[in-house]
Amino acid sequence: MSQEKYTIRMRLSAWFGLAALVFGAFCGGAMASGAYATSYFARYGGGHMLIFILIFMTIMAVCCILGINVIRAYKVTDYNGFYLALYGLHRDGSSPGLRKIVTLFFDFYTILSGIAACAGAMALFGALANSTTGMPVQAGSLIAAFVFAILSVYGSAFLRKFNTVMTLALTGSLLAVLAAVCAMRGDVLIGLLGDFKTGVDWSGASLATGYTMLISYCFNVGSWGATLSSYSEKIRDQKDAVGSGIMIAIFVSALFFVTSCIVLPYLPEQLNSTPILNICQNYLGSTLTLIYWIVIFIAVITTGPTFAFSIAARFIKLWKNSAIDRKLKVFVIALAFMIVCYFVSLMGLMKIVQILLTSTGAIGAFSIFIPLLVSIFRIHKLNLAERSGSPD
């Protein structure tokens, strides 16, 4: 494809595809359930909610721009390649010992992050299955494990399209729920937005604890570049990295804002892991509740396969037996990963969100975010070397 044929429409399509993927993979069902709103954003009232979302959006934009630029500059296609490039160990002559240490550390970190996200999705799937059919939560979560593994077989192109459809459907349903909430408690919502006093004592934890947890969670987004490395083949230049990073931040932050606004007028009564579902069931009509159920089921289903495929894209390279079909390898790796996630899902969605995601974010602040900042100078030097014709 020539540069002349790379149109604005193509750019926006690539940016939107990644933004939709991030939305579905990292936010998906847990975001749509309102669990993030009650865990991080709205739990201290409307004034602090706006500050929290602004902090999140800023950190997310920076991390995604820098992460995607690393992918573009070093042409990495899996998370191991991403972290080796991030630490400057991508060259053939790099220290084998250091490469091994970085590989093992980020294998552990990526699997832990994926477990947190997928286990949360399974816990939510189980809760939704229980609320609609009476099925035991554990049985619903086990069904989710097999569904996630099967869908991961279809690869990155399918998952991008799946996440795009889900993003549009979920956005529409959440806006419909928000409209219904505004019609019912719009005056309460308006009164709370910008209010820094009401709500400070809702959660029972100090405001300093809330900011610390929020910032720790935010640094999870430093690892998003590693997962996006399996899906970013359409990124061509730094303009794409900046544009897609900003679009990702705007998409996800806007939806966190919407879910927080839905939940805010019903706090502190709805400080739980599925507040929006409870609001629909207890305050809104049956039609809207049914629509929300359907869409959130789709949202939950997008999270697991996206992470499982990313894990499989890494470990399938270690499975050298060419006699076994690639799709079967992906399924086996994904299923093994999902079985681990199933046992973690038994913790429950709220504990997964508040404990696992905060912990992985704290680790990522030092091991990923700081190297991402350093990558600015390394990639600038690489760009200069490429323009002058010198090797990296």
Side-chain angles (χ1 to χ4, degrees):
M1 182 187 298
S2 66
Q3 186 68 27
E4 292 75 17
K5 293 182 180 179
Y6 192 52
T7 64
I8 293 177
R9 181 175 176 274
M10 291 177 179
R11 280 194 189 276
L12 292 177
S13 176
W15 301 355
F16 181 84
L18 288 183
L21 181 75
V22 171
F23 174 86
F26 297 89
C27 304
M31 183 280 299
S33 74
Y36 287 117
T38 52
S39 295
Y40 299 115
F41 297 104
R43 64 194 300 229
Y44 293 95
H48 295 286
M49 180 191 86
L50 298 176
I51 301 298
F52 286 167
I53 290 174
L54 181 61
I55 291 172
F56 176 81
M57 183 168 62
T58 302
I59 294 177
M60 173 185 264
V62 171
C63 288
C64 288
I65 289 169
L66 296 180
I68 295 171
N69 205 32
V70 168
I71 295 169
R72 177 203 63 80
Y74 296 104
K75 299 176 177 60
V76 293
T77 58
D78 62 68
Y79 74 79
N80 183 56
F82 175 85
Y83 289 121
L84 289 176
L86 187 62
Y87 276 79
L89 298 172
H90 56 290
R91 303 180 186 87
D92 292 335
S94 300
S95 167
L98 289 178
R99 286 173 62 93
K100 189 69 172 178
I101 291 172
V102 170
T103 295
L104 289 175
F105 177 84
F106 284 108
D107 275 341
F108 171 79
Y109 179 82
T110 301
I111 291 172
L112 182 62
S113 299
I115 287 172
C118 292
M122 285 183 189
L124 179 56
F125 189 97
L128 292 172
N130 174 262
S131 68
T132 54
T133 67
M135 178 187 299
V137 172
Q138 295 84 351
S141 298
L142 192 59
I143 291 173
F146 284 97
V147 172
F148 292 171
I150 291 169
L151 289 177
S152 66
V153 170
Y154 293 95
S156 61
F158 166 77
L159 291 171
R160 269 197 303 270
K161 293 176 182 177
F162 196 5
N163 277 284
T164 299
V165 172
M166 184 279 300
T167 298
L168 296 173
L170 186 53
T171 301
S173 69
L174 287 174
L175 291 176
V177 173
L178 178 60
V181 168
C182 288
M184 184 176 294
R185 295 197 178 184
D187 55 336
V188 178
L189 174 61
I190 293 173
L192 289 172
L193 287 176
D195 185 342
F196 286 88
K197 295 181 179 179
T198 304
V200 171
D201 58 350
W202 282 347
S203 68
S206 69
L207 187 59
T209 298
Y211 273 91
T212 300
M213 285 183 61
L214 182 277
I215 293 174
S216 294
Y217 166 69
C218 285
F219 284 115
N220 276 288
V221 302
S223 67
W224 292 15
T227 299
L228 287 172
S229 63
S230 300
Y231 304 91
S232 299
E233 65 274 9
K234 292 186 178 180
I235 296 298
R236 291 167 56 96
D237 51 32
Q238 286 193 164
K239 185 181 291 186
D240 278 342
V242 174
S244 56
I246 292 174
M247 185 173 286
I248 288 170
I250 292 173
F251 266 44
V252 179
S253 299
L255 287 164
F256 277 141
F257 175 75
V258 169
T259 54
S260 297
C261 285
I262 292 171
V263 171
L264 188 60
Y266 297 92
L267 296 181
E269 291 81 7
Q270 294 297 332
L271 277 174
N272 54 65
S273 61
T274 56
I276 297 180
L277 178 61
N278 295 341
I279 291 167
C280 288
Q281 289 176 319
N282 297 324
Y283 300 98
L284 307 181
S286 58
T287 301
L288 193 55
T289 301
L290 177 61
I291 293 172
Y292 175 76
W293 266 338
I294 293 171
V295 174
I296 198 173
F297 264 118
I298 297 172
V300 171
I301 290 172
T302 62
T303 300
T306 305
F307 271 100
F309 179 76
S310 179
I311 296 292
R314 161 71 177 105
F315 286 98
I316 200 171
K317 296 180 179 180
L318 305 179
W319 195 336
K320 303 297 184 181
N321 190 341
S322 59
I324 300 177
D325 182 72
R326 186 179 186 279
K327 287 187 176 181
L328 180 58
K329 291 180 180 179
V330 171
F331 175 76
V332 172
I333 295 170
L335 183 59
F337 175 66
M338 288 302 164
I339 290 173
V340 175
C341 294
Y342 168 74
F343 287 104
V344 177
S345 74
L346 301 180
M347 291 174 57
L349 180 58
M350 189 63 87
K351 287 185 178 179
I352 291 170
V353 170
Q354 292 185 344
I355 297 175
L356 283 184
L357 292 180
T358 301
S359 300
T360 53
I363 296 170
F366 297 97
S367 61
I368 304 175
F369 184 70
I370 292 176
L372 278 174
L373 294 179
V374 174
S375 75
I376 297 173
F377 304 100
R378 291 178 51 232
I379 292 176
H380 177 68
K381 182 180 178 181
L382 174 63
N383 291 339
L384 291 177
E386 288 178 345
R387 283 195 288 268
S388 65
S390 302
D392 177 23

